Amino acid sequence: MFMTASRIKIDGKPLLKLNIHEYDNDDIPFLDSLGIDQLEGDAPNWRYIHIHNQEDFLSTRSAILERYKVLAEKGPKVFLEAK
């Protein structure tokens, strides 16, 4: 599984799009609990959430890192493994 993030604007308002890629079925309840439940087009293993402020981003990232350890950070990708 890996995580990416990008800054985007919707209706002129800046926000962060946090993406989770290549997750397993075991990860779905946890991702749902964080609100990472929006699917990206036809990609079955790519979910995302729009985050509107830094506090929400830090809280979501912290929750992810409590459950997953960082294997590597390569550019915009953070590779994760369940603890």
Side-chain angles (χ1 to χ4, degrees), residues 38-49:
Q38 298 178 56
L39 300 177
E40 185 67 37
D42 295 337
N45 285 335
W46 180 2
R47 290 173 162 231
Y48 69 92
I49 185 173

Side-chain angles (χ1 to χ4, degrees), residues 4 6 8 10 17-23 36-50:
T4 61
S6 56
I8 62 172
I10 295 181
K17 182 179 179 188
L18 180 66
N19 307 290
I20 302 293
H21 309 264
E22 299 178 7
Y23 56 87
I36 306 173
D37 57 1
Q38 298 178 56
L39 300 177
E40 185 67 37
D42 295 337
N45 285 335
W46 180 2
R47 290 173 162 231
Y48 69 92
I49 185 173
H50 291 145

Side-chain angles (χ1 to χ4, degrees), residues 31-76:
L31 296 174
D32 285 347
S33 75
L34 296 177
I36 306 173
D37 57 1
Q38 298 178 56
L39 300 177
E40 185 67 37
D42 295 337
N45 285 335
W46 180 2
R47 290 173 162 231
Y48 69 92
I49 185 173
H50 291 145
I51 300 176
H52 300 277
N53 61 58
Q54 185 176 8
E55 182 179 305
D56 289 346
F57 169 72
L58 293 174
S59 174
T60 302
R61 187 177 191 281
S62 178
I64 290 169
L65 295 180
E66 284 179 19
R67 182 174 171 123
Y68 300 91
K69 67 179 177 179
V70 175
L71 296 176
E73 291 188 48
K74 296 181 181 179

